Amino acid sequence: MATSRSKLSPLEILHNGPVIPVIVLHDVDHALPLAQALLAGGIRVLEITLRSEAGLESIRRISAELPELIVGAGTVLSPDDLRMTAQAGAKFAISPGLTPSLFAASHDGPIPLIPGVTTASELMLAMERGFTELKFFPAEAAGGVQTLKAMYGPFPRITFCPTGGISPKNYKEYLSLANVACVGGSWIVPPDLIVKGDWDKITELAAKASAKL
Ligand code: 3PG
């Protein structure tokens, strides 16, 4: 699948999973070795969150140096976040929730937004704005696989990326669902391994997660 086109659709992005590492970086010097380790383990899409100050610069470095990776910005909470991450080179933005201002900013914006929903009503609001690829967050706390199965009845055309509480124990069950294209999770990028610079171990975790099911 192509990974270097300038504007990918949300569905193309999600189908480049099946597992999207959710990354929190506190040192920009970790950005490139981490991204290289993930790439070596077969990861094609990753999410760098804006939860830390190093997030934005990490997006900039990885996007510039490793164009074969589809770099997304996570924890995008405002129109400003969206604008800054697009300028930094992110190929997409992903948000834990949805707001009218974020919707407005994403329309005709330079990069696609994958908004987060938890309930049927939020999902319907997103649909009204034309969004059909959504993050389901916080997945496990919001009923996990059972909730997604129930959502498939009324909303068969919605594709989800569940995130929050996904682990090596349950990710395959999520990926077996008809309305799930990929999952997001932090288990491939444990903070202690990043701090230690144990890139081989991260490559190993990535390879396990991205192996054919
Ligand atoms: C997210 O930001 O999407 C989640 O916090 C990641 O959740 P996890 O740490 O439970 O994988």
Side-chain angles (χ1 to χ4, degrees), residues 22 47 49 51 75 135 137 163-166 184-187:
V22 177
E47 172 188 336
T49 67
R51 278 169 228 183
T75 323
K135 169 165 164 153
F137 177 81
T163 319
I166 314 285
S186 62
W187 84 89

Side-chain angles (χ1 to χ4, degrees), residues 22-204:
V22 177
I23 301 164
V24 181
L25 279 168
H26 294 286
D27 181 346
V28 290
D29 289 335
H30 290 149
L32 282 179
L34 174 67
Q36 275 153 349
L38 292 169
L39 192 56
I43 296 292
R44 288 162 295 180
V45 189
L46 48 82
E47 172 188 336
I48 311 275
T49 67
L50 299 184
R51 278 169 228 183
S52 61
E53 278 191 18
L56 198 60
E57 178 57 21
S58 299
I59 290 170
R60 194 172 288 120
R61 288 193 189 182
I62 299 170
S63 303
E65 298 296 326
L66 298 169
E68 59 272 56
L69 276 171
I70 302 172
V71 182
T75 323
V76 169
L77 305 180
S78 67
D80 270 356
D81 287 348
L82 192 59
R83 189 180 34 77
M84 285 187 311
T85 51
Q87 279 168 0
K91 291 269 196 304
F92 70 99
I94 189 157
S95 170
L98 43 81
T99 69
S101 65
L102 205 47
F103 278 154
S106 76
H107 272 292
D108 301 320
I111 57 172
L113 171 71
I114 299 171
V117 300
T118 310
T119 66
S121 297
E122 291 165 358
L123 190 157
M124 288 166 66
L125 277 175
M127 278 173 74
E128 275 185 14
R129 310 287 176 125
F131 291 86
T132 50
E133 288 76 34
L134 304 172
K135 169 165 164 153
F136 175 55
F137 177 81
E140 278 288 285
V145 165
Q146 293 313 317
T147 300
L148 287 165
K149 277 186 185 165
M151 293 281 200
Y152 186 68
F155 309 114
R157 280 181 292 280
I158 299 296
T159 302
F160 291 100
C161 176
T163 319
I166 314 285
S167 72
K169 287 203 181 100
N170 60 18
Y171 79 103
K172 287 186 184 169
E173 204 186 343
Y174 278 95
L175 290 174
S176 72
L177 301 178
N179 53 354
V180 169
C182 63
V183 297
S186 62
W187 84 89
I188 308 162
V189 282
D192 59 319
L193 294 187
I194 296 177
V195 170
K196 275 195 281 185
D198 193 345
W199 311 124
D200 288 347
K201 181 70 188 164
I202 287 177
T203 296
E204 201 182 293

